[in-house]
Amino acid sequence: AIQRCDSPVLLKHVGREWRALKSWSLPRVAREVAAGVVRLSNGPNVVQCNRNHPLIKAGHFEPPSRPVMMPGHEFVARLRPGRQGLAPLLYGEDERVYLQTEAPDSMLRDAPVPDAWKKLGVEAGGCTNFWVSS
């Protein structure tokens, strides 16, 4: 199925030994992720929607989440209890943040793709997604 790319595949426990699990941390994200798209939501379920939908644009429907550009250090601060004194941006005290960006090269260099992943065709760099949420 993997080679044919014709059906979903679930790989379990393939990342247990990946060095990124030990070397990637929130302080490191604050230092090394310059900025990324952060989705703000009013709770733990981050529902994405088309912000250009006519009902949203006309004000008839409040979007359940909204994207904003944010520096890595601010994102990490907003993950912490009390947002380290930062005021919520759009959704009040229950606001949650979700970062989805490419992993920085500096972080990928010390956590190379495991050989087992390479055999499946996984490559590091260019489009390595990096997701963090509260």
Side-chain angles (χ1 to χ4, degrees), residues 90-104:
L90 298 172
Y91 292 101
E93 293 303 316
D94 292 331
E95 183 172 88
R96 299 290 186 97
V97 291
Y98 171 79
L99 171 69
Q100 182 176 354
T101 189
E102 290 183 10

Side-chain angles (χ1 to χ4, degrees), residues 1 6 25 30 44 51 53 59-60 69 71 73 76 84 88 92 95 129:
D6 63 358
S25 64
R51 64 179 178 230
H53 190 281
H60 299 299
M69 284 300 293
H73 65 87
V76 169
Q84 293 186 330
E95 183 172 88
N129 289 328

